[in-house]
Each structure stands twice: as structure tokens, then as C-alpha cells.
Amino acid sequence: MPLVDMSDMLNHAYRNKYAVGGFDLVSLDFLEAILEAAEQCRSPVILSLAESHFEHYDFELALAATEQAARRARVPVAIHLDHGATLESAVRAINLGCNGVMVDTSNEAFSVNVARTRQVVETAHRCGITVEGELGYVAGLEGEDAERHPGEAVYTSVAEARAYAERTGVDCLAVSIGTVHGRMRGRPRLDFERLKRINSAVRLPLAIHGGTGLSEDQYRRLITAGVAKINYYTALADAAGQCIRENARADARCGYTGLVQSIRARIRAEVERCMHMWGSAGRAAEVLMQCRAWQPVQHVIIYNVESGAEPRVDAMMARGAETLAAIPGVRRVVTGWAVSEQPRFRYCWIVEFAHKDVIASYREHPEHLAFANRLFRPIAGDRISIDFAEVDYTAHNPVPDLGRRAQL
Ligand SMILES: [Zn+2]
């Protein structure tokens, strides 16, 4: 499965002086186009879903498709929540399948930004999830004319960046040095000196938001100064919009599929251009070899209950399914009964964890302990519990990588 640890992916780019694109997707056309481009360029890629876009699609459905597409890919992929506003957003994204989350409380006072980010980092790291924080304020809104959302751009301060990185423990830092979200008139002037000083102060992969519209030379200088992730959406949305307008002009009576035809090719061309420009093209094989594969873990329990406790099993399972699914890092809870007549064990739980690190945090989570100690363990003394790391032997990943499996 080509999902890889996002922090490993970003650090590979940071060490090797290139940048991975974090491309926001808003439909299947975007998802497929971005992945086709990555495959064509043999490039690592970050599939990014921005909370500000959730009014345009169902996050849960989009994420399911994104995860399936990532599993099918032959290039390394990370799945990222872009601009999550709260701890709850981060936990929801983790439990639905993101292996990286951005917490953006950069509009808050420094101390509040630090405290909220720290909270997300603690929770996410206990689940093995990478966290991107933001310091300074990049004005504008994804995919809109930046002038319509002017705000006050606040450049990231070097001293604050150092303190923020130390106190929060983020894995990647989005900085504000002159870019804006969305379109802007004219070329932005970027503060490269500030970026260099931030880079020496934090020594972390840096992210740039509002990547649309910069020149090749500007990108090159950003990457030289520590930028390893570039968020990119507006140019893709513009290419798609332009394509629809042309289709409408060519045939004023065309329906939906007529309007969106060729959209994927247009988005894909723009993504490929970026991958070449940012140096991520051709890096897929190294990243797959050097970065940890992303492996979910199945926590399996098979059990019997004391005689007389059978009538309570249904209620206990229902309660457990609800309680356990809300714990950070739990992807899914399956409960079941044996189908055969005289099974050695009658009941089972399968709790899917996002990552092996969840094993420890789940075990000590107060909600899990309360459920297990009060409702489950007292009636289920006869049980076996094992954690399995998933290994993907499907056609998409025919040769299991024993080296990477051994790291688990
Ligand atoms: Zn952004």
C-alpha cells in the first residue's frame, strides 16, 4: 500500500531539497487527475482536503474515495486535512483516514495558537499522525480572489517560530512570508531573508500556502530556504473553471458530462507542471524505499461470556461500538457473533487502529478503560486478544517489503 508516513515524506523532501505538492481536491475529477499526474511523474504526493471546502462535498465520502485511490496508487501518497480549525476536526479526520492534519489557529494570539496546536500535536502523535501548524497569517481564502478576503497578512516572526516549534512539537510549519490564499494581482514579493532565518531557527520542513502564481525562480528559492510542502489549489480550480467555460461556449446545450469533459486532463497538466518545477518528479521510488509504509493495525479480540451473561451481550456490544469508535485513532469497530454451531469462541471485536501507536494510547484511554473494566472484562474472562499489522498482498503491492514490515 503506497500510503506512507507523512513526516517521513516531508523530511525526505526537506533533506533532498525539493517540495511535495499538497493539492486540495474538491471532486473525483481532482482526485483522479492529481494521482494520474503523480503516477506519470513518478512523484510523491499529498492529497489534501480543506475544511473550508466541506460545504462543497461530503468529507467522509470523499475521504473514503481518497483512501481507496491511495491504496491503488504506485507512488507514495499521504492524506492530509488542510486547515482544520479544532481538535475535534483533527480527531474526526484521523478516525476517517487522514495520516496528516493541519491545525490552523494562526488567527489567535500567539499563546492561544501554541496551546491549541500543542493539544492537537499530543493527540495526533499518540496516533502516529503528522501535524502541520501555522504561524503568521496568510490572508485570503482558497480558490477565491484574494482581494475579497484581504485581512491583514501577518508575517511569521523568527523568534516566535522558534518558540512555537519547540513548545508545540509540530512536524511541519506553514509560514507567512508574502503569499496569499487564492488569486492576487501582480507578483507577490516574498521575504526570502525571513524564510532563511526561520529555517535555521526551526530546522523543520516548512510549508507555503497560497502557492498559486509564483514564478519558477521564486519556487526554487523557497525550496532552497527549507520549503518542503507547497499547498496548491487555486490554479487547479481556475484550470477546471476555464475548461467548463470553453465546453459551454463550444456547445451551449451540453449537459453535465459535456461541461466537465477534459477537466481531468487540464488539472493533470497543471499538477505535472508543478511536480517538475518543484523537483518531486522522479522521487517516488526513493520515497517508497526510505519512508515508513503506513500500516493500519487490527486489534482483534475473540471471547466467550460467563454463563447467564448472554442477554447482556447485545447492549454491551452496542455501547462498546459507540464508545470505542470515538477514541482518537480508531478507524472502525466491528462486533460479531460466530456463525458456526459450536465455536471455540462465540463473540468477537475487531477494532481498526489508524497506526500501531494507537495500541498504547487506546489501551490507556479513559473511555476505553471505563468500558473494558465496567462492562466487558467482568463478563468476558475467556478471551484472546491480538494486534495485527495489515500487510497488503493485493495486485497493487505484489511483493511485501519485509524490511519495512520488520520496523513495525
Ligand atoms: Zn492554506
Side-chain angles (χ1 to χ4, degrees):
M1 174 164 64
L3 268 168
V4 301
D5 184 284
M6 186 166 138
S7 171
D8 285 4
M9 182 194 270
L10 291 175
N11 278 297
H12 186 271
Y14 185 65
R15 282 195 311 273
N16 292 285
K17 295 263 184 285
Y18 67 93
V20 182
F23 298 99
D24 282 331
L25 56 96
V26 290
S27 73
L28 278 184
D29 281 326
F30 280 70
L31 171 61
E32 290 174 54
I34 295 162
L35 272 176
E36 282 168 11
E39 302 258 0
Q40 179 63 32
C41 295
R42 303 300 304 154
S43 170
V45 67
I46 296 168
L47 299 172
S48 188
L49 297 100
E51 197 164 82
S52 60
H53 289 154
F54 289 0
E55 61 187 289
H56 304 303
Y57 58 82
D58 182 315
F59 179 48
E60 189 172 351
L61 294 182
L63 202 46
T66 304
E67 189 177 13
Q68 188 60 24
R71 282 171 186 264
R72 228 165 57 173
R74 289 163 195 275
V75 292
V77 178
I79 303 176
H80 188 59
L81 171 71
D82 192 18
H83 290 284
T86 59
L87 178 64
E88 291 70 34
S89 320
V91 170
R92 178 163 181 248
I94 293 166
N95 288 10
L96 288 176
C98 287
N99 67 346
V101 293
M102 178 192 188
V103 51
D104 179 5
T105 46
S106 61
N107 55 336
E108 301 282 357
F110 180 73
S111 60
V112 178
N113 189 12
V114 167
R116 299 232 176 114
T117 307
R118 174 78 223 153
Q119 233 187 348
V120 171
V121 170
E122 278 171 4
T123 302
H125 280 186
R126 279 199 291 265
C127 302
I129 306 286
T130 301
V131 181
E132 174 183 348
E134 178 167 332
L135 190 62
Y137 179 66
V138 179
L141 191 70
E142 292 79 11
E144 300 281 335
D145 287 314
E147 289 83 356
R148 271 192 260 153
H149 303 269
E152 266 305 292
V154 179
Y155 282 35
T156 306
S157 116
V158 178
E160 282 189 351
R162 182 185 287 113
Y164 178 87
E166 275 168 12
R167 290 183 210 163
T168 61
V170 290
D171 307 286
C172 169
L173 178 64
V175 293
S176 169
I177 54 142
T179 56
V180 295
H181 287 117
R183 276 171 237 120
M184 75 186 289
R185 282 184 209 106
R187 279 224 183 277
R189 275 215 295 277
L190 305 181
D191 190 342
F192 290 107
E193 272 317 304
R194 181 186 295 268
L195 184 64
K196 279 182 207 156
R197 284 187 286 129
I198 294 170
N199 187 31
S200 352
V202 303
R203 288 279 147 216
L204 283 176
L206 302 176
I208 285 289
H209 286 230
T212 292
L214 305 186
S215 70
E216 193 158 353
D217 180 59
Q218 285 178 313
Y219 284 125
R220 193 186 47 75
R221 294 175 67 188
L222 289 173
I223 292 165
T224 308
V227 168
K229 176 174 182 280
I230 296 174
N231 275 37
Y232 205 77
Y233 169 69
T234 303
L236 306 186
D238 284 352
Q242 182 59 26
C243 182
I244 290 173
R245 281 187 294 275
E246 285 168 22
N247 289 335
R249 269 200 298 274
D251 176 2
R253 296 177 54 195
C254 70
Y256 176 78
T257 50
L259 279 174
V260 299
Q261 71 170 329
S262 311
I263 251 187
R264 263 160 56 187
R266 298 284 279 271
I267 297 170
R268 174 180 161 174
E270 180 59 17
V271 173
E272 286 182 16
R273 191 179 75 85
C274 293
M275 288 172 164
H276 287 291
M277 206 161 45
W278 303 339
S280 68
R283 298 282 188 168
E286 296 164 58
V287 172
L288 282 174
M289 297 252 289
Q290 294 174 30
C291 298
R292 284 167 292 179
W294 187 257
Q295 279 175 304
V297 165
Q298 304 284 347
H299 175 62
V300 179
I301 302 173
I302 47 176
Y303 64 99
N304 289 315
V305 297
E306 324 262 282
S307 63
E310 280 90 353
R312 277 143 61 198
V313 170
D314 269 327
M316 184 269 292
M317 280 181 167
R319 178 69 185 278
E322 191 190 342
T323 312
L324 304 178
I327 294 174
V330 172
R331 298 286 318 272
R332 210 158 79 96
V333 180
V334 176
T335 58
W337 298 55
V339 175
S340 50
E341 291 279 321
Q342 298 260 297
R344 166 69 186 85
F345 290 97
R346 281 197 74 189
Y347 309 101
C348 86
W349 291 103
I350 303 169
V351 185
E352 184 179 332
F353 295 151
H355 183 266
K356 69 175 165 47
D357 289 358
V358 180
I359 298 170
S361 59
Y362 173 84
R363 196 176 289 141
E364 57 205 35
H365 194 280
E367 294 288 327
H368 166 246
L369 285 174
F371 168 75
N373 292 337
R374 274 186 229 138
L375 293 175
F376 178 63
R377 288 173 186 150
I379 60 169
D382 182 19
R383 63 176 189 267
I384 295 175
S385 155
I386 307 176
D387 296 306
F388 294 95
E390 267 184 54
V391 183
D392 187 0
Y393 290 109
T394 59
H396 307 298
N397 189 20
V399 185
D401 185 331
L402 298 173
R404 278 190 288 148
R405 183 141 48 107
Q407 289 179 4
L408 211 101

